Amino acid sequence: ALATTVGALRGEFEGIGGSLLIADGPSSLLTMVHPMGSAGAAARLMRGLRSEFDPHGALLPGPFQLETP
């Protein structure tokens, strides 16, 4: 129920150009919804910046987590 509410609120906020981030929450919620939400069109820009300034992933190792699980 909480994940559905977060999804609905994110949809509303993204529809008006905003976003909804989860700063803290139960692990059961965080396995269903990504704390950052969807990066949308900004994902391509963020990946480009990361490949330009941190091509070897030294600053933040691992995959670039932009999508919901």
Side-chain angles (χ1 to χ4, degrees):
L2 187 54
T4 303
T5 302
V6 169
L9 286 171
R10 278 191 171 151
E12 291 291 322
F13 292 139
E14 289 171 0
I16 58 171
S19 62
L20 181 122
L21 307 177
I22 302 171
D24 193 16
S27 59
S28 59
L29 172 65
L30 299 176
T31 59
M32 295 188 299
V33 251
H34 194 283
M36 299 293 288
S38 173
R44 188 168 140 193
L45 172 65
M46 288 188 277
R47 284 189 181 100
L49 288 171
R50 181 177 183 181
S51 70
E52 180 72 25
F53 293 105
D54 188 20
H56 304 291
L59 299 176
L60 186 61
F64 203 34
Q65 300 292 324
L66 295 173
E67 306 301 325
T68 53

